[in-house]
Amino acid sequence: MKGIEFFPQVASTIAPSVDKLFFFLVALTIFFTVVLYGLIIYFSVKFRRKEENEIGRDFQSLALEISWTVAPIFLVLFIFYWGVKVYFMQVVPPEDSIEYQVVGKQWMWYFQHPNGKREINELHVPKGQNIVLKMISQDVIHSFFVPAFRIKRDVLPGRYTVAWFNATKKGKFHLFCAEYCGLDHSRMIGRIIVMEPEEYELWLEEGSVVSQKEDKPIPPEEKGKILFGKLGCGSCHRAEDSPLAPSLVGKYGTEVELSDGSTVKVDDDYLRESILDSQAKIVKGYNPIMPVYAGQLSEEDVMNLVAYIKSLGASEK
Amino acid sequence: MHQKENVNYLNVEYGIKSWLFTKDHKRIGVMYLIAVTLFFIVGALAALGVRLELLTPEGDLMSSDAYNRFFTMHGVIMIFLFLIPSIPAVLGNFVLPIMIGARDLAFPRINLLSWYIFIFSGIIGIIGILKGGIDTGWTFYTPYSSIYSHTPVVLVAFAAFLVGFSSILTGLNFIATVHTMRAPGLSWFRLPLFVWAMYATSLVIMLGTPVVAITLVLLILDRAVGLGIFNPTLGGDPVLFQHLFWFYSHPAVYIMILPAMGVVSEVVSAFSRKKVFGYKFIVYSSMAIAVIGFLVWGHHMYTSGQSALSGIVFSILTVLVGVPTAVKILNWTVTLYRGSVSFEAPMLYALGFMGLFIIGGLTGLFLAALGTDVHLHDTYFVVAHFHYTMVGGAIMGFLAGLHYWWPKITGRMYPEFLGKFGAIVVFVGFHLTFLPQFVAGYLGMPRRYHYYVPEFQFYNILSTAGATILGAGMILVIGYLVWSARYGEKAVSNPWRAVGLEWETASPPHPHNFEEVPRVEWDAYDYEYKYKKEGVSFA
């Protein structure tokens, strides 16, 4: 048996905020538990039955009743408010976050760094950097949970979710899958390895840990571009709108009108859907002629394609 | 010398047929008691397997496949076949009609039908276990349950679907009975609080259970014929399942706890020999819990990818549901004030309920608040919290009520010393089992983990030690109760000298409960009135 721990490690910028609320609630719980246990024991002893025919004396008090109905309302609203404040820190990634890709799969975690380096079940990250994880599952629901960072986010099939953190401490931290996902759920664990930024840069140079063939990592948008060419996407999706298909240049983040008259924002989920299930939402003025790619592309491929399309929007606008 | 006993519901007829075809709510209650006790034992054995396996971080007792089936069967059986029916179908069935001075429930045949549905679904569930059990967790989350699991999910989901009809029919019966069959003089605000609690519970059952029935049908269709409503590769949404599932299953928590709260109101009053403090507030708080309880399901999904706005709305509603709960705890506490408090086993269980539920309720705030829940969700902190409410609450309440009405049900007293001793063992064993799990959860130990990292072992050893004590306590309780049903001391009609119509009739009661229809001229728990009327000189 390893040493006994009482507190989890504190290794991200938000962890102290979560702990502050946690320990406030611990104090509150202990306080009320002691007070109520005290009252129950005191009343039980003081008013214990002293003779066989004794009965209690009625006691009612509307004032007491109203006060302990109203007072807790303020207390719980305060807790609610504090919880929301911490929650916003947890769920809204800062603007300058760098995106890493995560794919969950029974029972492994796949990671891709911004420079295209890939890892399985281990994620090396630089300390002090805002990092946002774009996550998707290839099969069932998983959940990305790093106790030392106090973050948790479900990883869903068919939809991107995000989590973010900024690690404050060098070291190795547990990564757990927190949503039950079948046979080896409890072995779907990994490590987040936090390094000094310089160390991390050196580590990135070392080449791929996943495949020997990838001696030099290729960034996701480059991989996407290569795939875009291979699949022949460019024959319809050209630099300018063609009669066959809309151009993808400068479209990311804009609103487009669909054939049914509704509008949709061009974001990661929309792009993903339009690649895999191309008939679902057709842009106004075009025919549904694009092939369906569901079952032909892995989630990693799709993420790379989306990254490429995203890069088109950013550069040419 | 053999003395002929008065006719009561137990000796009026003999033979297995007289039980299987009975329409007497008391006999049906007893049949429910036997059934839920058997299911409880199966569910407890599954828990034993889980706790033994978790003694070490390695998987040395069973395979992960077996472990996943064990914890799933523990959850499915305990929730659907024990906790939900325990108090309403056993104690509610037995005492509710007597408490309101009725001869039976409004629909005695439907009452028997609901028992048969219960048994039939239970048997399907047991067949599911014999076929190897399922490994989806009791929550049946899609798409794991609908596509990936290789276990008989359809069969067990069908059992869970079917057993809901048993609850619905019982709920319907209770509502109709309370509306139409109260004795003359027994106005709504003279009803015992247990009756109010059963009424609130029945409303939740009737409004919530159909939703889980629909959800399970959709799951079955998804799995059996590939409907795809929860399947993302067919354009379905797996998170929709969670919404539908929790729309019932969160209120189901109140189906389990409101009846226990009803029992505690009865017992605390009876063993303080005075009116409950703030009768109407307890009634309103039951109703408030029943209503708000329907609007908090999203707190199970703070990390599931629902929008931040829904998270906020569900969080505020969830913290508010804590208020009526706090009101109840405070009301029971102050009921002791100026009481004439005695400490027989039912009272020890009721006090134990309060002691455990205080912690169960307060730790709910950690999970209602968004910021802390993100870290604690799906960890052992949650496991500890809901066991404090479900086991600490519902089971302690059930045991309080079972001991309190045991003389009425069986006509025999349970052995008081063993009763008190058992209550203390259960209370201590419970704390030792589940307190360490709060720490393990805060450290980050996820739920449903067969293997775990070695840092968590200390807490798991404590927990397994506690479970052993808890298990020994339960064996003791079941043992002496079974023994006393036959060999216990004969009970008088009102052994606790409590106020309530159930204590006005013989123990065990006449087949039709009362020789003549009672008239109620007193408020609930009016000890002064009652003792004066009986000419007792009281202090």
Side-chain angles (χ1 to χ4, degrees):
Chain A
M1 192 164 67
K2 254 179 138 177
I4 301 159
E5 287 181 14
F6 292 99
F7 307 105
Q9 282 176 296
V10 180
S12 75
T13 47
I14 54 149
S17 320
V18 175
D19 282 359
K20 226 163 124 184
L21 174 56
F22 182 84
F23 286 115
F24 168 74
L25 290 170
V26 169
L28 194 83
T29 300
I30 293 174
F31 174 76
F32 281 112
T33 304
V34 169
V35 168
L36 288 167
Y37 272 51
L39 279 176
I40 291 169
I41 293 168
Y42 174 72
F43 289 157
S44 296
V45 173
K46 177 134 199 263
F47 300 103
R48 69 187 179 278
R49 187 166 303 156
K50 279 142 201 141
E51 57 166 297
E52 190 41 33
N53 287 333
E54 185 186 64
I55 63 167
R57 283 174 296 150
D58 192 24
F59 171 69
Q60 305 288 338
S61 160
L62 190 63
L64 210 53
E65 199 78 74
I66 287 171
S67 59
W68 72 41
T69 307
V70 174
I73 293 178
F74 291 101
L75 181 64
V76 298
L77 287 180
F78 173 68
I79 293 166
F80 156 76
Y81 168 73
W82 192 344
V84 169
K85 253 177 57 180
V86 176
Y87 183 63
F88 272 112
M89 288 189 246
Q90 286 164 321
V91 294
V92 183
E95 285 289 313
D96 62 349
S97 301
I98 294 180
E99 186 178 289
Y100 286 58
Q101 296 177 356
V102 181
V103 176
K105 179 180 179 310
Q106 284 178 324
W107 294 275
M108 275 177 273
W109 296 103
Y110 291 97
F111 300 104
Q112 181 164 239
H113 293 256
N115 81 335
K117 189 163 175 170
R118 298 194 295 147
E119 293 185 87
I120 294 175
N121 290 346
E122 274 194 354
L123 177 64
H124 290 72
V125 291
K127 201 179 103 178
Q129 170 70 52
N130 292 328
I131 289 171
V132 63
L133 306 168
K134 189 168 104 182
M135 310 189 291
I136 198 158
S137 162
Q138 209 148 297
D139 38 50
V140 301
I141 300 174
H142 304 282
S143 190
F144 187 93
F145 176 33
V146 182
F149 297 168
R150 312 288 187 276
I151 59 162
K152 183 180 295 119
R153 196 73 180 171
D154 287 9
V155 179
L156 305 171
R159 179 144 70 89
Y160 294 115
T161 55
V162 296
W164 83 274
F165 62 87
N166 184 330
T168 54
K169 208 188 236 176
K170 258 182 74 170
K172 295 171 179 170
F173 304 102
H174 290 300
L175 159 65
F176 296 131
C177 176
E179 184 62 67
Y180 176 69
C181 59
L183 183 67
D184 278 330
H185 166 56
S186 68
R187 310 246 232 163
M188 192 170 162
I189 63 176
R191 291 190 301 179
I192 309 291
I193 297 161
V194 180
M195 311 169 98
E196 292 295 345
E198 315 80 70
E199 277 181 273
Y200 175 72
E201 289 305 322
L202 286 174
W203 177 86
L204 276 182
E205 296 300 307
E206 277 171 21
S208 176
V209 284
V210 173
S211 160
Q212 291 299 321
K213 276 183 262 169
E214 297 174 27
D215 42 41
K216 196 174 174 300
I218 307 167
E221 60 275 11
E222 295 283 317
K223 283 181 191 159
K225 189 177 180 181
I226 296 166
L227 197 57
F228 195 83
K230 251 192 221 164
L231 295 170
C233 311
S235 55
C236 300
H237 294 288
R238 300 178 195 153
E240 267 119 46
D241 289 351
S242 76
L244 293 171
S247 163
L248 300 175
V249 176
K251 291 282 161 64
Y252 188 84
T254 60
E255 299 255 332
V256 293
E257 199 182 344
L258 301 179
S259 53
D260 66 357
S262 63
T263 57
V264 66
K265 189 172 178 211
V266 181
D267 59 10
D268 293 6
D269 276 315
Y270 170 68
L271 288 174
R272 181 184 173 278
E273 184 186 28
S274 298
I275 295 167
L276 292 176
D277 185 11
S278 46
Q279 314 295 313
K281 292 185 180 117
I282 303 294
V283 175
K284 195 175 180 170
Y286 292 93
N287 293 320
I289 54 169
M290 180 173 154
V292 171
Y293 284 93
Q296 299 183 43
L297 295 173
S298 71
E299 290 294 350
E300 282 126 317
D301 290 338
V302 178
M303 278 199 179
N304 290 333
L305 281 171
V306 169
Y308 170 61
I309 295 167
K310 213 167 160 178
S311 73
L312 291 176
S315 58
E316 316 232 347
K317 221 178 169 184
Chain B
M1 204 176 87
H2 187 77
Q3 205 184 350
K4 198 177 171 336
E5 277 183 275
N6 289 330
V7 174
N8 64 50
Y9 83 101
L10 290 169
N11 67 12
V12 64
E13 281 179 286
Y14 291 99
I16 187 87
K17 266 193 182 165
S18 74
W19 284 86
L20 292 180
F21 295 106
T22 185
K23 291 186 285 292
D24 185 337
H25 67 98
K26 300 181 287 304
R27 285 191 163 210
I28 295 170
V30 171
M31 295 201 293
Y32 264 115
L33 175 61
I34 294 166
V36 300
T37 307
L38 293 176
F39 290 129
F40 175 81
I41 290 169
V42 179
L45 287 174
L48 178 73
V50 168
R51 281 292 2 137
L52 281 179
E53 173 58 68
L54 292 178
L55 261 179
T56 66
E58 295 302 314
D60 26 31
L61 193 67
M62 54 178 99
S63 66
S64 291
D65 190 32
Y67 178 82
N68 295 341
R69 291 166 198 245
F70 264 74
F71 77 69
T72 301
M73 293 327 286
H74 169 66
V76 168
I77 292 174
M78 286 302 201
I79 288 179
F80 292 107
L81 297 176
F82 177 72
L83 285 172
I84 290 177
S86 63
I87 297 183
V90 177
L91 301 174
N93 236 322
F94 195 98
V95 297
L96 182 131
I98 310 180
M99 278 181 145
I100 64 170
R103 287 174 60 153
D104 206 317
L105 286 172
F107 309 110
R109 282 186 190 80
I110 287 181
N111 196 22
L112 184 63
L113 175 65
S114 73
W115 185 80
Y116 276 102
I117 294 174
F118 177 72
I119 291 298
F120 189 59
S121 358
I123 290 170
I124 296 176
I126 297 291
I127 292 172
I129 296 178
L130 295 176
K131 287 183 76 172
I134 60 164
D135 69 342
T136 61
W138 81 274
T139 47
F140 298 105
Y141 271 18
T142 55
Y144 183 72
S145 63
S146 54
I147 304 171
Y148 290 85
S149 174
H150 301 293
T151 55
V153 176
V154 169
L155 195 67
V156 176
F158 180 70
F161 162 79
L162 201 59
V163 78
F165 289 93
S166 158
S167 309
I168 291 172
L169 292 179
T170 302
L172 174 81
N173 227 335
F174 286 175
I175 289 175
T177 307
V178 175
H179 272 277
T180 60
M181 297 176 71
R182 281 169 287 126
L186 188 55
S187 58
W188 282 90
F189 284 110
R190 280 181 173 176
L191 285 175
L193 288 164
F194 180 73
V195 176
W196 271 110
M198 294 312 314
Y199 187 81
T201 307
S202 301
L203 287 177
V204 180
I205 287 175
M206 296 206 42
L207 295 172
T209 317
V211 178
V212 81
I214 294 163
T215 313
L216 290 170
V217 168
L218 290 174
L219 169 64
I220 291 169
L221 289 176
D222 246 22
R223 194 172 164 92
V225 300
L227 178 69
I229 196 151
F230 305 125
N231 180 355
T233 57
L234 296 175
D237 183 357
V239 180
L240 175 66
F241 176 85
Q242 298 181 19
H243 280 283
L244 292 172
F245 182 81
W246 288 114
F247 183 82
Y248 163 75
S249 294
H250 195 78
V253 169
Y254 301 109
I255 295 175
M256 304 177 222
I257 201 66
L258 280 171
M261 291 171 159
V263 171
V264 171
S265 298
E266 295 299 316
V267 172
V268 168
S269 159
F271 292 89
S272 306
R273 286 205 187 142
K274 68 188 274 275
K275 277 188 186 168
V276 161
F277 181 84
Y279 172 96
K280 283 196 178 174
F281 273 77
I282 294 188
V283 171
Y284 295 142
S285 64
S286 291
M287 289 302 168
I289 289 172
V291 172
I292 307 174
F294 269 109
L295 305 173
V296 300
W297 78 89
H299 68 217
H300 295 270
M301 285 168 282
Y302 290 161
T303 68
S304 299
Q306 75 181 0
S307 71
L309 178 66
S310 358
I312 290 167
V313 172
F314 283 120
S315 178
I316 197 165
L317 288 163
T318 304
V319 295
L320 287 175
V321 87
V323 174
T325 314
V327 167
K328 279 178 189 277
I329 292 274
L330 290 163
N331 279 25
W332 296 320
T333 304
V334 175
T335 299
L336 301 170
Y337 177 71
R338 292 207 207 159
S340 164
V341 185
S342 68
F343 303 96
E344 284 81 5
M347 186 60 162
L348 292 186
Y349 281 111
L351 294 174
F353 171 99
M354 289 161 69
L356 299 180
F357 204 76
I358 287 166
I359 295 172
L362 286 164
T363 51
L365 289 172
F366 292 71
L367 303 171
L370 286 155
T372 33
D373 181 70
V374 167
H375 175 60
L376 299 170
H377 179 71
D378 268 331
T379 68
Y380 264 80
F381 192 96
V382 176
V383 176
H385 160 71
F386 73 69
H387 280 88
Y388 262 87
T389 55
M390 294 296 92
V391 186
I395 295 192
M396 295 297 266
F398 179 60
L399 289 173
L402 194 61
H403 284 80
Y404 181 55
W405 288 303
W406 192 252
K408 191 56 59 184
I409 295 171
T410 63
R412 307 269 173 174
M413 299 302 290
Y414 62 85
E416 188 56 54
F417 174 78
L418 286 179
K420 283 179 183 156
F421 180 68
I424 291 165
V425 172
V426 167
F427 185 76
V428 170
F430 181 85
H431 270 307
L432 186 55
T433 310
F434 294 106
L435 261 184
Q437 295 185 1
F438 283 121
V439 188
Y442 174 56
L443 288 175
M445 179 164 169
R447 298 170 70 171
R448 297 169 171 177
Y449 258 36
H450 178 220
Y451 289 76
Y452 58 86
V453 296
E455 293 98 289
F456 305 140
Q457 191 181 10
F458 173 67
Y459 300 100
N460 279 287
I461 290 175
L462 289 182
S463 196
T464 301
T468 314
I469 297 172
L470 182 58
M474 292 309 306
I475 291 171
L476 173 72
V477 172
I478 294 173
Y480 72 68
L481 285 180
V482 170
W483 174 87
S484 73
R486 199 179 171 94
Y487 302 107
E489 198 184 309
K490 284 234 163 101
V492 295
S493 64
N494 188 1
W496 316 118
R497 303 179 62 201
V499 176
L501 279 179
E502 78 269 34
W503 305 113
E504 306 277 314
T505 177
S507 303
H510 184 269
H512 292 141
N513 300 343
F514 300 95
E515 309 272 332
E516 55 187 271
V517 178
R519 266 190 173 279
V520 180
E521 281 150 356
W522 60 89
D523 288 339
Y525 320 116
D526 196 341
Y527 280 82
E528 268 180 55
Y529 175 91
K530 156 115 178 147
Y531 278 49
K532 256 183 208 155
K533 198 172 133 203
E534 286 175 3
V536 182
S537 63
F538 53 85

